Amino acid sequence: MRLLACLSALILFACSEAPAGSAQQAGERTLPDGAERAVFAAGCFWCGDSDFARLDGVIETVSGYTGGHVDYPEYRQVVNGNTGHVEAVEVIYDPAAISYDQLLHFYWRNVDPFDGRGQFCDRGPMYAPFIFTGNEAEREAAQRSAREVEERFGREVAVGIRDAERFWPAEDYHQNYASENPVAYQRYRLGCRRDERLRQIWGEEAGG
């Protein structure tokens, strides 16, 4: 058994008690006809996966790692800060049903935009928030959305905007974690005070 790095100010939370295993091999997967992909980092990928999966127009969500310098990263490596990767979620979506701008709008309302050192109880660079853009149009949209948040709150956001890099799907036991392990997930999310902090920032808009 191993205690992994999901921390609050007062309590240690186990992000996973699952056995070790290698990340799935990365590669450009064939998307359904007309589908597009977007990649977001918002702290622990269990939450990002669960949040985006409930949106109409989202076809699939994949928990994984990106932005680092290590091929085939494993969870232990990433959470120990040895790879440069962050936990992220790949969102496969139907642009005819939901736009990239709508995904951005939803993303901001599920992240603490002012905390670049982690998210909620999850601390460290592996939990830093990022928007990974796949082309110039996405980059401009992400930058525009960041300016809108800054204008709304009158302060600079800490969410990074970076060009998309190779995305490494996480180990199988991390995929669809919220639906596969609902009790453990809800205990983690409540203990992490994620929704409490989102309400402090976004009020009734929290969670999108």
Side-chain angles (χ1 to χ4, degrees):
M1 304 291 284
R2 53 194 172 90
L3 185 64
L4 300 177
C6 288
L7 303 176
S8 69
L10 300 176
I11 305 172
L12 290 174
F13 295 98
C15 275
S16 173
E17 293 289 343
S22 298
Q24 301 171 35
Q25 184 170 346
E28 286 296 318
R29 295 179 298 138
T30 301
L31 299 181
D33 289 344
E36 296 183 8
R37 61 163 53 90
V39 178
F40 302 99
C44 187
F45 48 26
W46 295 348
C47 297
D49 177 279
S50 176
D51 291 337
F52 277 101
R54 61 188 171 87
L55 289 178
D56 291 339
V58 169
I59 299 167
E60 182 184 6
T61 53
V62 182
S63 294
Y65 317 111
T66 192
H69 57 269
V70 173
D71 290 346
Y72 305 101
E74 294 187 358
Y75 185 65
R76 285 178 178 172
Q77 295 173 294
V78 174
V79 298
N80 285 333
N82 297 326
T83 66
H85 289 294
V86 296
E87 291 194 8
V89 176
E90 182 183 57
V91 180
I92 310 301
Y93 68 100
D94 178 2
I98 188 169
S99 69
Y100 186 71
D101 283 339
Q102 288 174 311
L103 292 177
L104 288 169
H105 180 91
F106 183 80
Y107 169 79
W108 287 109
R109 284 150 185 80
N110 283 279
V111 72
D112 181 343
F114 310 113
D115 189 354
R117 297 184 178 182
Q119 285 288 289
F120 313 102
C121 68
D122 298 317
R123 312 312 303 161
M126 69 291 294
Y127 295 114
F130 286 96
I131 300 169
F132 292 93
T133 59
N135 53 51
E136 184 63 28
E138 288 185 358
R139 186 180 307 109
E140 291 177 357
Q143 292 171 340
R144 182 171 60 250
S145 70
R147 289 194 298 269
E148 291 171 354
V149 175
E150 290 179 336
E151 291 171 1
R152 171 172 175 163
F153 291 100
R155 56 187 296 196
E156 185 177 358
V157 301
V159 174
I161 298 173
R162 295 174 52 179
D163 290 344
E165 301 180 36
R166 191 170 187 177
F167 182 87
W168 301 89
E171 295 83 346
D172 286 341
Y173 62 83
H174 285 302
Q175 306 301 332
N176 306 311
Y177 188 87
S179 58
E180 296 292 331
N181 304 274
V183 175
Y185 173 73
Q186 289 301 325
R187 184 184 300 119
Y188 156 72
R189 184 161 183 140
L190 179 63
C192 205
R193 298 183 177 178
R194 187 181 185 101
D195 296 305
E196 178 180 334
R197 176 59 178 156
L198 290 175
R199 287 191 295 270
Q200 289 175 351
I201 300 168
W202 295 101
E204 292 182 357
E205 296 178 41

